[in-house]
């Protein structure tokens, strides 16, 4: 097994291993790499849904996503699917999953079944690298701030996205969760500080005028959106990607009109973030 850096800021490439046959020592190396790189990309896997679930269970509990359509017979696996005639995709903007939960999902494991001939890449951004590169004055300014996150505007009944997805997302009535988390999170495993706000689900900074909060979030987002903090993952069928929501953002590109893109996603449960400042 070889593990190398995918980019300076985020991600590791794992080669020469079958995730259905990992020894404990290989799994320990992978776990360490996951902590170091925030996301891992495995090539040439051949997974049944049972293999996918078994690999996810090695990391801990599975968090069953309440909004995505599950794979028939496998409630633990969500479909990440865009058909040739559909316009919208899932995850087509910078976000980190489940930040609206008190205990946001630790991460996801995404397996590629059908990939368009070109396009459909996923971008990842490294939150620790982005934090490290902030000017000291900004680090000082945000050190004690907290932000409120929510999901009603994405998954709720009145959300334009929910409506435009035309039945592809479920459970709109059970949306509405909100949670408050530190803007700067000390990662429980790496001990590194990273930014924990995202354009998808962060609503505003607590105890700040709305205009100021919007301006601060826009400044942080513009900083994180610099390509020097990114890795662009180009998919092939059989690839498996996994990412840590406490260390990364991701963005599924929607640039393959007329083609099908189909992946299976398992989300791994996380812990409350309130004590991780
Ligand atoms: C997601 O946001 O989970 C989807 C990622 C992808 O389809 O590449």
């Amino acid at each position: 097994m070889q593990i190398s850096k995918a980019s300076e800021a985020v991600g590791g490439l794992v080669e020469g291993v079958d995730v259905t046959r990992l020894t404990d020592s290989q799994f320990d190396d992978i776990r360490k790499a996951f902590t170091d790189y925030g996301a891992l990309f495995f090539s040439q896997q051949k997974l049944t849904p049972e293999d996918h679930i078994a690999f996810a269970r090695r990391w801990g509990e599975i968090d069953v996503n309440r909004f995505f359509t599950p794979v028939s017979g496998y409630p633990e696996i969500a479909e990440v699917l865009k058909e040739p005639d559909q316009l919208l995709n899932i995850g087509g903007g910078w976000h980190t999953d489940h930040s609206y939960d008190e205990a946001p999902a630790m991460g996801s494991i995404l397996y590629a079944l059908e990939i368009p001939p070109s396009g459909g890449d996923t971008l990842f951004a490294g939150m620790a690298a982005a934090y490290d590169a902030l000017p000291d004055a900004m680090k000082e300014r945000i050190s004690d701030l907290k932000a409120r996150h929510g999901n009603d505007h994405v998954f709720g009944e009145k959300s334009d996205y929910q409506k435009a997805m035309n039945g592809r997302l479920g459970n709109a009535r059970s949306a509405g969760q909100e949670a408050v988390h530190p803007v700067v999170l000390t990662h429980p495993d790496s001990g590194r500080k990273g930014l924990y706000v995202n354009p998808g689900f962060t609503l505003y900074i607590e105890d700040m005028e709305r205009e100021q909060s919007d301006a601060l979030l826009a400044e942080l987002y513009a900083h994180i959106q610099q390509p020097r903090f990114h890795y662009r993952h180009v998919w092939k069928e059989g690839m498996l990607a996994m990412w840590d929501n406490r260390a990364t953002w991701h963005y599924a590109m929607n640039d393959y009109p007329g083609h099908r893109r189909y992946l299976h996603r398992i989300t791994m449960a996380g812990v409350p973030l309130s004590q991780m400042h």
Side-chain angles (χ1 to χ4, degrees), residues 7-272:
S7 79
E8 263 321 298
V10 64
L13 307 174
V14 189
E15 312 273 355
V17 77
D18 171 352
V19 302
T20 66
R21 300 162 67 89
L22 292 175
T23 62
D24 286 345
S25 135
Q26 284 173 322
F27 187 75
D28 287 347
D29 289 345
I30 288 171
R31 188 188 281 285
K32 183 175 177 317
F34 188 57
T35 301
D36 290 346
Y37 297 129
L40 293 177
F41 306 94
F42 302 80
S43 49
Q44 294 184 319
Q45 304 299 310
K46 217 170 171 8
L47 300 188
T48 62
E50 287 81 4
D51 293 333
H52 194 176
I53 292 168
F55 180 59
R57 290 222 166 103
R58 286 187 84 160
W59 294 86
E61 300 255 311
I62 292 174
D63 178 330
V64 176
N65 184 288
R66 47 197 180 277
F67 305 114
F68 292 173
T69 306
V71 172
S72 172
Y74 299 96
E76 304 91 337
I77 307 180
E79 284 193 337
V80 175
L81 170 64
K82 183 172 170 253
E83 295 286 8
D85 61 343
Q86 293 172 335
L87 296 181
L88 287 178
N89 69 342
I90 288 173
W94 283 116
H95 66 286
T96 187
D97 300 328
H98 293 227
S99 68
Y100 44 79
D101 286 333
E102 283 301 326
M106 185 272 264
S108 279
I109 305 180
L110 188 62
Y111 180 57
L113 294 160
E114 224 175 307
I115 293 299
S118 69
D121 303 344
T122 309
L123 310 182
F124 290 84
M127 293 302 111
Y131 174 81
D132 288 347
L134 285 173
D136 288 345
M138 178 59 99
K139 287 183 181 158
E140 178 68 26
R141 180 172 172 210
I142 62 177
S143 66
D144 290 323
L145 297 180
K146 290 192 169 17
R148 182 169 290 271
H149 303 246
N151 63 14
D152 212 30
H153 61 292
V154 180
F155 298 122
E157 286 180 290
K158 294 198 186 121
S159 141
D160 290 342
Y161 177 65
Q162 168 75 268
K163 285 181 207 151
M165 285 295 269
N166 216 4
R168 288 160 68 199
L169 297 174
N171 255 336
R173 284 204 189 138
S174 68
Q177 288 76 32
E178 291 193 0
V180 173
H181 301 299
V183 169
V184 179
L185 200 66
T186 301
H187 191 280
D189 303 324
S190 70
R192 285 183 81 183
K193 286 187 176 181
L195 291 165
Y196 193 72
V197 283
N198 71 92
F201 299 113
T202 305
L203 302 175
Y204 53 82
I205 311 275
E206 294 269 288
D207 303 321
M208 195 178 268
E209 291 295 328
R210 197 53 183 263
E211 213 171 298
Q212 258 188 303
S213 158
D214 289 351
L216 177 55
L217 288 173
E219 192 175 342
L220 293 173
Y221 296 162
H223 173 76
I224 298 167
Q225 282 173 36
Q226 295 175 81
R228 63 183 167 133
F229 304 126
H230 302 170
Y231 170 64
R232 184 179 190 115
H233 179 60
V234 181
W235 290 94
K236 287 198 178 86
E237 284 160 19
M239 279 183 167
L240 185 73
M242 59 185 296
W243 61 86
D244 183 333
N245 287 316
R246 293 92 39 97
T248 58
W249 282 359
H250 58 282
Y251 183 150
M253 301 295 292
N254 187 8
D255 56 355
Y256 49 96
H259 293 284
R260 192 171 199 258
R261 183 177 183 273
Y262 183 40
L263 302 94
H264 281 181
R265 190 180 110 170
I266 298 184
T267 303
M268 300 172 286
V271 294

